[in-house]
Amino acid sequence: MSASHNSAIRRVTRRSLKQNPSHTVFTVLAITLSAAMISAVCGFAASGRQMLFDFLGEDVLEARQYSAMVYTAAAVFGLILVATSVIIASNAFRASAGERTKQFGLLGSIGATKGQITAAVVYEGVFLSAVGIPLGLLLGNAIHLLAADIVETLFVQVNAARMAHGANGDSELHFAYVFSWPATALAVAVSLVTVLVSAWLPARRAASLSPVEAMRQSGGDAPAAKSVKVSPLTRALFGCEGALAVKYAKRGRRSYRATVAALSISVVLFITGSFFASGMERSMTSAMPYAGVTAGVEYISATDHRLPLAAVERVTVRLAEFPDTIVHLEEATEDGTALTVWLAETDDVEGFRSYAMSVLEEIVGAPQSDQYRLNTYDTSKITAGQRAVMLAVRLFTYGFVALLTLIAVTNVISTVVTNMRLRNREFALLRAIGMSRKNFSKMLRHESLLSSARALLYGIPLGSAFAYILYTGFMRSTEFGFVYPWLAVAISLAGVIVIVFAATKIAQSRINRLSVIEALHE
Amino acid sequence: MSILRTTDLKKHYGSPGSDAVSVRALDGVDLAVERGEFVSVVGSSGSGKSTLLHLLGGLDRPTAGQVEIGGQPIFAMRDDELTIFRRRHIGFVFQSYNLVPVLTVEENILLPLELDRARPDGPFVDQVIAMLGLSNRRRSLPDQLSGGQQQRVAIARALAAKPAIILADEPTGNLDSRGGMDVMGLLKISGERFGQTIVLITHNPEIAQLADRTIRIEDGRIVL
Ligand SMILES: Nc1ncnc2c1ncn2[C@@H]1O[C@H](COP(=O)(O)OP(=O)(O)O)[C@@H](O)[C@H]1O
Ligand SMILES: [Mg+2]
């Protein structure tokens, strides 16, 4: 099919976009938001990769651990965010699906083939993407830049703390904004596919109808003519409004499905994000040294060069001879390294450190040999450093969870409001035939309950699964068991219900303001 | 030989298993129309006239039965074949006009030709536009026109490609009686000049009389 073949179709598409500026702007914004999210995720992955690459040469084992953690987190959150952006973009196209179906029927009736109609869909998607995706890339890079800046600020403190801990070597963590062409190309490709899929989903249905059927579309959510059984229990408990709500949920399946999808993905996002935050919190808390301890002495060597037991005991006794000092002994093995640590509570930190060094040199030998290394340090400094790091990491993870929650809530509100707009006519009709406002509210409440319940049914298991994936890739190396995120589940349960009811209420008040006749003619 | 032929054509709405009652919009229609013939279709509202016309033009799929155009069973064609066949051979005037709201009068009239990448016969299109009194409305959008004017645009669109068959669903319904007669005159002239076959639905007995033959539909069946 030649390009000129479709010039008429392209003209119709362009004019339609121009004739309905508010809808076009809304769609472009949705595409921008989607592309921004995808581009930020891709950019973040690029920065993470750069960070690991710089870090790798120095501390292979640690880097391997970190890389598993970063990639797992990036994969899990990337997947959820891409799903969210598909939902946001497809809401925009879904809002005009009825009108488009009508238009496709009309074009079909005067001789447009399926190929030409597909061309119209692709053209519209590409046309809107040409504006939305560059804007999204800009926004996504801005988010990436800002977030990289925040992470780098945190890493300055992390690095300082590592230094204070006498970190082996001077391996520093740096998370910088990097502009990567492959990441950008990936973001563009994923965004474009997202937009085309979102545009195509409602069009696919239109293509399966005959022109006459397509033209008869009401402009809203086309009901599926299938029998719906309403259980006697529902009827008894919720009355005729309840029965009506069940019928809407089953027949107006696209709106209903969209709501359930948006809610489920939001629940997944929240549970996974919260699990991530609490996991960080726990692994940090465990890394805290004893409180009240102010000095430490270390004997670090390969595992097969452990200090003899008699020597350890002699050191312990001698260290405890320092005035007003309590000494705890700790022995550990980490990655082939033997660690013998004496932690002391003392008033004279510097005096104890030099005394301890002289004791160790007397019993063990020179401060450094090819078999071991002796070290003393001020734990109060480490504690302060660790506290700063913890605070920073906590700020970062909770900021991250707050952002995810915001995306989740926006997603749900946009879906619910789109649905209500699509159903204006239906609602007006119900009111025209005598449904009172009170009955109407009752019906909507019941519908909200239905979609919330269904969303939780999908969202909670899926969120738990993702949390477990994060756990395996992220925290299995630590000594923690998997702790089920009960609190997050409880919050999402309450949150879903509150948000759906609130969004429905807001949209409903808008409908109540329209007169019945206005809505019927909308 | 008949150019248009239907055999036991049926269209039922509402599938079994739904709580909607099944409607028999067409209940076994056998009809043959000769080449160049002008047939009018009458019947009360809801009797199935529009449904018949849509099926004759392949705009909808029947529940049972077949439509043959020039001896070719059209529902044996794939969707796209049928669409292309329709835009080359059939001019449709819809009861509800079906103009593309974002295109001007002239663009609407030329759209079927453009979709087919066909070169319009300029002088002929100008003539049709002039005869329908649309010369000074070429650049107007449909919603800037009255119902009668929109109907005339729909007629011009159906005529522009000089199709072999014209199917018109109450094309004079929104015109006053003089306007209605003008449109009929135009259809007749076009039909005679290009040897076109015309099937036209109308409520107006005066207009129905202008046809070579009138068929009456009641409850989805031909009764006359
Ligand atoms: N898409 C449809 N779904 C259900 N019933 C329909 C549909 N289209 C038409 N009908 C019904 O089929 C019957 C015939 O309709 P139609 O052909 O439009 O009648 P006419 O054009 O003679 O007024 C009517 O009872 C109408 O309600
Ligand atoms: Mg009719």
Side-chain angles (χ1 to χ4, degrees):
Chain A
M1 218 173 276
S2 84
S4 68
H5 198 170
N6 291 325
S7 66
I9 284 284
R10 284 204 298 271
R11 182 166 60 215
V12 172
T13 308
R14 270 197 316 271
R15 294 270 180 84
S16 302
L17 290 175
K18 220 152 96 190
Q19 289 271 309
N20 200 344
S22 69
H23 176 257
T24 305
V25 168
F26 178 65
T27 311
V28 167
L29 283 182
I31 294 173
T32 304
L33 197 61
S34 295
M37 267 166 27
I38 294 168
S39 139
V41 168
C42 290
F44 241 72
S47 287
R49 190 178 164 278
Q50 186 65 43
M51 172 187 84
L52 290 169
F53 191 74
D54 291 344
F55 196 68
L56 205 72
E58 332 241 354
D59 199 336
V60 180
L61 232 142
E62 219 167 323
R64 221 183 288 144
Q65 260 177 9
Y66 277 127
S67 73
M69 165 179 137
V70 167
Y71 285 140
T72 310
V76 167
F77 288 112
L79 197 70
I80 301 174
L81 286 175
V82 166
T84 309
S85 66
V86 168
I87 288 176
I88 290 176
S90 61
N91 270 341
F93 285 100
R94 202 165 52 86
S96 63
E99 255 158 63
R100 281 155 59 88
T101 305
K102 247 185 195 164
Q103 195 187 51
F104 294 159
L106 205 164
L107 291 173
S109 79
I110 54 177
T113 60
K114 301 261 139 98
Q116 285 173 317
I117 286 171
T118 308
V121 174
V122 171
Y123 181 73
E124 184 181 350
V126 171
F127 192 83
L128 293 171
S129 297
V131 184
I133 291 181
L135 284 178
L137 288 183
L138 276 180
L139 185 62
N141 275 288
I143 293 170
H144 178 198
L145 190 69
L146 196 73
D149 216 45
I150 294 171
V151 175
E152 182 58 24
T153 320
L154 304 184
F155 277 176
V156 168
Q157 293 170 10
V158 173
N159 290 330
R162 285 169 61 87
M163 290 297 277
H165 190 57
N168 14 348
D170 50 357
S171 59
E172 288 203 341
L173 278 168
H174 286 290
F175 193 88
Y177 169 85
V178 281
F179 181 83
S180 135
W181 280 111
T184 307
L186 184 69
V188 170
V190 174
S191 305
L192 198 59
V193 169
T194 300
V195 172
L196 290 181
V197 167
S198 308
W200 180 75
L201 280 178
R204 182 190 52 159
R205 227 180 63 82
S208 71
L209 300 173
S210 77
V212 169
E213 285 165 346
M215 284 187 293
R216 277 181 64 99
Q217 292 297 302
S218 59
D221 193 5
K226 63 173 183 182
S227 60
V228 174
K229 289 202 189 67
V230 178
S231 78
L233 186 68
T234 306
R235 228 176 255 283
L237 284 177
F238 302 101
C240 121
E241 297 82 7
L244 212 51
V246 172
K247 285 187 181 170
Y248 270 122
K250 297 267 168 69
R251 295 220 178 105
R253 53 201 161 154
R254 276 182 301 148
S255 291
Y256 177 65
R257 253 195 242 153
T259 312
V260 170
L263 281 171
S264 310
I265 204 78
S266 297
V267 169
V268 170
L269 207 55
F270 184 76
I271 292 178
T272 317
S274 309
F275 179 80
F276 178 74
S278 69
M280 294 286 271
E281 177 85 51
R282 284 201 306 146
S283 59
M284 280 186 321
T285 316
S286 77
M288 275 291 283
Y290 290 107
V293 173
T294 53
V297 181
E298 284 174 343
Y299 172 90
I300 308 166
S301 69
T303 20
D304 46 347
H305 284 102
R306 230 176 225 301
L307 199 59
L309 204 64
V312 172
E313 272 171 12
R314 267 167 58 213
V315 173
T316 312
V317 171
R318 288 287 301 280
L319 287 181
E321 283 168 8
F322 195 74
D324 302 324
T325 298
I326 305 161
V327 175
H328 316 267
L329 172 67
E330 280 207 353
E331 283 183 294
T333 307
E334 256 178 27
D335 310 327
T337 309
L339 205 62
T340 309
V341 184
W342 292 267
L343 294 166
E345 284 174 50
T346 181
D347 293 333
D348 179 7
V349 175
E350 288 314 312
F352 179 79
R353 284 177 72 179
S354 55
Y355 170 72
M357 208 54 179
S358 66
V359 168
L360 284 171
E361 277 174 26
E362 184 191 323
I363 296 169
V364 181
Q368 189 128 17
S369 83
D370 48 355
Q371 289 169 351
Y372 65 86
R373 189 153 52 88
L374 300 177
N375 188 24
T376 73
Y377 53 91
D378 183 350
T379 51
S380 63
K381 281 202 186 117
I382 299 170
T383 315
Q386 294 248 15
R387 286 230 170 83
V389 173
M390 276 175 64
L391 183 70
V393 172
R394 206 175 275 150
L395 274 175
F396 176 66
T397 50
Y398 286 101
F400 183 62
V401 171
L403 194 70
L404 294 186
T405 310
L406 201 70
I407 291 171
V409 171
T410 311
N411 184 15
V412 171
I413 291 178
S414 101
T415 307
V416 172
V417 171
T418 303
N419 286 347
M420 298 294 275
R421 290 178 72 124
L422 278 175
R423 289 171 53 191
N424 268 355
R425 248 180 73 89
E426 274 173 35
F427 292 153
L429 207 72
L430 287 175
R431 277 171 48 200
I433 59 170
M435 184 180 253
S436 73
R437 252 170 219 182
K438 219 175 110 201
N439 290 345
F440 183 55
S441 307
K442 202 169 155 192
M443 183 190 91
L444 288 181
R445 272 202 301 278
H446 191 70
E447 275 188 61
S448 305
L449 204 65
L450 274 177
S451 43
S452 305
R454 180 59 70 94
L456 291 166
L457 200 67
Y458 297 143
I460 291 174
L462 209 61
S464 310
F466 275 122
Y468 192 75
I469 294 172
L470 266 187
Y471 167 75
T472 53
F474 191 175
M475 278 169 272
R476 203 177 36 185
S477 56
T478 66
E479 66 268 34
F480 301 117
F482 179 68
V483 174
Y484 190 77
W486 285 113
L487 185 65
V489 168
I491 292 174
S492 34
L493 201 108
V496 159
I497 291 171
V498 167
I499 291 165
V500 171
F501 276 74
T504 307
K505 200 91 204 153
I506 292 165
Q508 189 194 339
S509 72
R510 189 180 155 270
I511 288 171
N512 281 344
R513 258 182 281 124
L514 285 177
S515 84
V516 170
I517 299 305
E518 267 169 359
L520 280 176
H521 285 274
E522 203 169 65
Chain B
M1 191 203 123
S2 354
I3 185 168
L4 251 180
R5 172 188 292 279
T6 72
T7 41
D8 200 23
L9 199 60
K10 291 182 179 167
K11 179 74 182 179
H12 297 174
Y13 289 108
S15 47
S18 102
D19 20 19
V21 189
S22 168
V23 177
R24 297 176 176 211
L26 279 189
D27 200 16
V29 168
D30 293 287
L31 172 70
V33 179
E34 299 308 311
R35 189 181 297 276
E37 202 181 0
F38 186 163
V39 176
S40 63
V41 180
V42 297
S44 53
S45 167
S47 57
K49 304 181 298 294
S50 296
T51 306
L52 174 64
L53 211 68
H54 292 153
L55 290 177
L56 288 179
L59 285 171
D60 209 353
R61 300 244 164 207
T63 309
Q66 186 55 267
V67 172
E68 283 171 39
I69 296 180
Q72 200 177 352
I74 62 169
F75 297 116
M77 294 186 221
R78 281 186 289 107
D79 272 353
D80 277 355
E81 283 175 329
L82 180 53
T83 303
I84 292 167
F85 180 86
R86 189 170 60 229
R87 74 185 178 198
R88 294 198 177 144
H89 304 294
I90 300 173
F92 220 108
V93 184
F94 294 93
Q95 191 171 4
S96 49
Y97 329 132
N98 288 355
L99 301 176
V100 180
V102 296
L103 297 183
T104 64
V105 165
E106 188 166 14
E107 287 165 340
N108 260 292
I109 293 171
L110 296 176
L111 186 57
L113 288 162
E114 287 184 14
L115 287 172
D116 204 30
R117 229 185 334 177
R119 184 164 292 283
D121 176 346
F124 174 69
V125 172
D126 286 344
Q127 198 187 336
V128 168
I129 290 177
M131 283 182 77
L132 287 164
L134 294 168
S135 299
N136 56 352
R137 303 315 299 261
R138 281 169 183 259
R139 295 187 188 287
S140 306
L141 289 173
D143 65 5
Q144 297 168 327
L145 303 178
S146 71
Q149 285 170 319
Q150 290 187 45
Q151 198 144 37
R152 281 181 271 156
V153 177
I155 294 165
R157 181 176 66 187
L159 293 178
K162 297 180 220 161
I165 301 171
I166 294 172
L167 303 173
D169 196 346
E170 301 191 26
T172 58
N174 266 298
L175 305 178
D176 57 27
S177 67
R178 217 195 74 109
M181 282 303 170
D182 284 353
V183 164
M184 288 308 293
L186 183 78
L187 280 174
K188 269 194 98 107
I189 291 168
S190 168
E192 277 156 22
R193 173 144 37 119
F194 298 105
Q196 286 162 320
T197 308
I198 301 173
V199 179
L200 176 140
I201 297 173
T202 182
H203 269 127
N204 186 335
E206 223 178 309
I207 282 173
Q209 269 182 1
L210 296 173
D212 303 330
R213 175 157 68 109
T214 298
I215 58 173
R216 171 171 294 276
I217 294 191
E218 286 309 334
D219 291 333
R221 289 166 181 277
I222 294 180
V223 293
L224 221 94

